[in-house]
Amino acid sequence: MANSEKHSITLQVNGHPYQLELLPWVSLLDALRENISLTGTKKGCDHGQCGACTVLIDGKRKLSCLTLAVMQEDVAITTIEGIATEGNLHPLQQAFIDNDAFQCGYCTPGQICSAIGLLNENKANTREEVQDLMSGNLCRCGANNGIINAVMAVKQSISHE
């Protein structure tokens, strides 16, 4: 018989604590969307194959649809809603606008979180590396060139500081 007892957990999301009562099998994606009402993180395939649900956990890229929420206490979770600071867009958000890196926008939150993660990892020094490292984030509209341009623009601005 499956354990149907809810667990009391506290998630640190975008710098704020959220006390939740969750069943042990609830994904981080579902907890963010359904329990905390942060709907910027998108549910695409729900199987870890599209990257639309990518968030940052302690600054690293993570597929929230494959991550159990009850196992995420004591970590810093950042969603697309927590990327901008003090009303200013994150440089990657601005680069997506400047480089026309989205069309429908559905994959954009996951793309931006994934790109920030790979920049945090100090990876993606070439266009080919960006393309390879972002290959887990699918864009069905075909904005991949704009996405790569945006990541490279931010990468170049960081290296010039």
Side-chain angles (χ1 to χ4, degrees):
M1 181 184 210
N3 181 0
S4 60
E5 184 178 323
K6 289 189 176 185
H7 295 266
S8 179
I9 65 166
T10 302
L11 295 180
Q12 295 293 328
V13 182
N14 301 328
H16 303 286
Y18 292 90
Q19 183 72 35
L20 304 175
E21 297 286 327
L22 299 174
L23 292 168
W25 55 80
V26 172
S27 70
L28 178 58
L29 172 62
D30 289 337
L32 291 170
R33 292 182 59 81
E34 297 172 17
N35 298 91
I36 303 177
S37 299
L38 293 174
T39 58
T41 304
K42 302 301 183 208
K43 184 178 276 204
C45 66
D46 213 20
H47 297 287
Q49 298 176 350
C50 74
C53 68
T54 304
V55 297
L56 297 169
I57 297 180
D58 288 338
K60 295 182 179 165
R61 306 178 281 168
K62 193 78 166 178
L63 298 172
S64 62
C65 74
L66 297 180
T67 304
L68 293 175
V70 295
M71 297 180 72
Q72 300 311 306
E73 288 196 289
D74 302 320
V75 297
I77 302 164
T78 305
T79 68
I80 192 67
E81 292 92 346
I83 299 297
T85 54
E86 299 176 14
N88 297 313
L89 293 178
H90 185 281
L92 209 44
Q93 289 174 307
Q94 187 61 55
F96 264 61
I97 294 168
D98 296 344
N99 289 277
D100 198 23
F102 53 88
Q103 288 182 31
C104 81
Y106 194 82
C107 71
T108 303
Q111 296 277 3
I112 289 173
C113 286
S114 186
I116 290 170
L118 72 88
L119 291 172
N120 288 346
E121 296 161 12
N122 199 24
K123 295 183 178 177
N125 295 309
T126 66
R127 289 184 64 79
E128 293 75 22
E129 288 176 347
V130 172
Q131 183 176 1
D132 183 49
L133 292 166
M134 294 290 291
S135 66
N137 291 81
L138 304 180
C139 175
R140 294 183 181 185
C141 298
N144 297 40
N145 281 335
I147 292 166
I148 294 168
N149 291 342
V151 175
M152 291 306 296
V154 173
K155 182 75 172 176
Q156 289 169 354
S157 72
I158 292 170
S159 67
H160 289 111
E161 290 180 353

